Each structure stands twice: as C-alpha cells, then as structure tokens.
Amino acid sequence: MLEVEFCNIKMKNPTILAAGIMGSTAASLNWVARSGAGAIVTKSFGMEANPGYPNPTTVEVTGGFINAIGLSNPGVESFKGELERLDRQVPAVASIYGADPQEFQDIAAQIDGMVDMIELNVSCPHASGGCGASVGQDPQLTAQVIKTVKKVTKNPVIVKLTPNVTDIVEIALNCQNAGCDAITLINSVGPGMRIDVETAQPILHNKFGGLSGPAIKPIALRCVYEVYEAVNVPIMGVGGITDYKDAVEFLFAGASCIQIGTAVYYEGIDVFRKICEGLERYMGRKGIKSVSEMVGRAH
Ligand SMILES: Cc1cc2nc3c(=O)[nH]c(=O)nc-3n(C[C@H](O)[C@H](O)[C@H](O)COP(=O)(O)O)c2cc1C
C-alpha cells in the first residue's frame, strides 16, 4: 500500500531521512533504515574534511530549531568508507556540496554507483566559501552544477533548493531545463538567530542559522504546491513534517515522497514507523489504494 517509485528507484514507503539529521556514520544511517524509513539521505559532504562551526551550533526556538553546523563532514575520501558500510536495506541518497561546478562533479564521479541517488545541496543557508544557498540563489550557477554532475553519474540527480529566493518556480524550472531528475523542497529557512538575554550575546557561535521544524511547514508546503504546478520532474517534500497529517498535506501538494528531519529530535527514529502507520490507517479510512493516488490531489 505504501510502496512508491521515485526516479525508478523502488521504496517500501514514502518516508525518507532528511540530509544532515543523523550524523555522518553508516552505523546511524543503517539504524534509521532498520527503524522503518523508506530511504535515507546522508549528511552533506564535500571534497575536503570540514570541521564546521564551533559550538553552540543548534538552538531550540518556538516551532523548531535554528542550526549553524557549517556543513561539518569528513570529506569525500573518508565518506566513501561510510558509504561502503551502508547495508543498503533501503535506497541511499548521497547529499553532496561543492565550492563550484567542478567540485560537485569530482565528488559525484568518485561516488558513482555507491548510492542510489545523488542530492545536490545548493541550499545551505549558513555555509560559507562559495557553496550553500548562494549557489541555489543563482539560476545559472545551479544549472551549471546540474549539467556538470549529470555528465559523470548514472545515478538520478536531485537538486535541493532553498526557499530563500524571490521566485522558487523560476529556479525549479531552470533546474528542470538543466536536466535534473528530481527536486527536493526545501532546505532550512533563514538565516535566523536567537540572543541570550543574560549575556546579551547571540546564542549560536555563527550568530545566524537555518530554521527547521514545524514553523517552516507552511512555507515548504507552498513551495511544493507552486513548483508541482510548473515542473514535470518528481518532488521530495521536506520541512516541518512531524506526523502523518503533515505527510498527507505534502503528498496532496505534489510531493511524491517526503523527508523527515527535525521531527527525529521530537519523536525519535520511531517517527518513520509512526508516520507510515498513520498513513496506512488514513488511506484505509479514505479508500485510497496507493500513495501515488494522493500526489497532487490539492490541485
Ligand atoms: C541539524 C541539522 C543539520 C542539517 N544538515 C543538512 C545537511 O547537511 N545538508 C542538507 O541539505 N540539509 C541539512 N539540513 C536541512 C534538512 O535536511 C531539512 O531540509 C530541513 O531541516 C527542513 O526539514 P525539517 O523541518 O523536517 O527538519 C539540516 C537540518 C538540521 C536541523
């Protein structure tokens, strides 16, 4: 009942671990896979090891979290070891970032065949040094990244977009024209900040970070809804999904499957199983036979 096919990759259900939520090790990704997720996305990794920002990197706010991890990761060479240790019970998506199109391409070439799909992170709201949201806000650069990566990989290429743009539809269409196989909407929103009232200092070491969690769900849902009307490629919806009703809303808006991030902090890794059980009960109640029947119903 919950099986979906995304870019010709079969998944047992439409719930996917979002990028960056469970650290960088195969052990934690395998644990999520065993807990019921239909697929997993790795933490974003780049060419070289990156220590990221010093602590504090995460702070809770009403309706979610602000994080400025700074894309900390051990670099592609070391990450390949982790990819080899994935037990591949469920499809694996590698999230990669680069300083320029060439770097994206080099990383994609190095991991070709080690995963089922590649997600291009052109949308981190708090990264520095030529990567991050600055790429995703530049239509030409994003198109170039997609085209260069497509040349070297057989894996479906998904591009993950930032909502921090004037016209998300224009950017999405541009990605489709550049040849991406799918689109993930959205990365965290912002940047935002919090200030400690005792010390009068910003709480995050980086001062600013990306907002995630239920607070961003309406924005993510609107992005999915708008982009679905304009593109033909499938969409992964992400942003504040915490229970099965959130998942249903994203499917109705036009997502073919959904990623879950911050809700793992609230609900634990059981969140995948809980959302799937809720979805099954809902579909039974409504006489819906397959997830694909739900996709885009709100249009
Ligand atoms: C602690 C943390 C780390 C994240 N790291 C990444 C990352 O490495 N790459 C990426 O593309 N998105 C990253 N994200 C963004 C999430 O994948 C997701 O797009 C965003 O949090 C919105 O979904 P949510 O509200 O379900 O968390 C991160 C989010 C959080 C909270």
Side-chain angles (χ1 to χ4, degrees), residues 113-170:
M114 299 184 81
V115 289
D116 299 283
M117 293 182 256
I118 293 178
E119 187 178 83
L120 305 174
N121 180 4
V122 294
S123 47
C124 182
H126 52 80
S128 56
C131 55
S134 54
V135 178
Q137 287 161 341
D138 180 335
Q140 262 133 32
L141 191 54
T142 305
Q144 227 183 317
V145 169
I146 294 166
K147 283 180 190 161
T148 28
V149 168
K150 283 292 288 178
K151 279 187 198 148
V152 294
T153 183
K154 291 180 283 301
N155 289 136
V157 173
I158 314 165
V159 59
K160 182 172 182 182
L161 296 180
T162 173
N164 306 333
V165 293
T166 314
D167 186 353
I168 189 86
V169 171
E170 185 195 342

Side-chain angles (χ1 to χ4, degrees), residues 101-120:
Q102 185 62 50
E103 212 170 276
F104 272 98
Q105 188 187 54
D106 291 345
I107 298 166
Q110 284 200 49
I111 60 165
D112 192 35
M114 299 184 81
V115 289
D116 299 283
M117 293 182 256
I118 293 178
E119 187 178 83
L120 305 174

Side-chain angles (χ1 to χ4, degrees), residues 59-106:
V59 61
E60 193 160 8
V61 295
T62 309
F65 284 86
I66 300 177
N67 87 83
I69 310 273
L71 293 173
S72 66
N73 76 94
V76 62
E77 195 48 50
S78 162
F79 219 101
K80 274 159 58 182
E82 298 301 327
L83 295 181
E84 273 162 14
R85 282 189 280 280
L86 289 177
D87 54 23
R88 306 290 285 272
Q89 292 175 52
V90 300
V93 184
S95 171
I96 65 170
Y97 72 90
D100 53 39
Q102 185 62 50
E103 212 170 276
F104 272 98
Q105 188 187 54
D106 291 345

Side-chain angles (χ1 to χ4, degrees), residues 6 119 123 158-165 167-169 171-173 175 182-189 216-217 219-229 231 233-241 250 253-255 257-259:
F6 192 87
E119 187 178 83
S123 47
I158 314 165
V159 59
K160 182 172 182 182
L161 296 180
T162 173
N164 306 333
V165 293
D167 186 353
I168 189 86
V169 171
I171 304 268
L173 276 171
C175 293
I183 296 174
T184 297
L185 296 161
I186 56 174
N187 211 317
S188 44
V189 177
I216 70 167
K217 193 190 100 182
I219 297 172
L221 201 57
R222 184 269 301 167
C223 288
V224 170
Y225 187 92
E226 276 197 325
V227 169
Y228 178 81
E229 298 225 320
V231 304
V233 293
I235 298 168
M236 288 202 188
V238 54
I241 298 168
F250 274 80
C257 52
I258 48 129
Q259 297 184 2

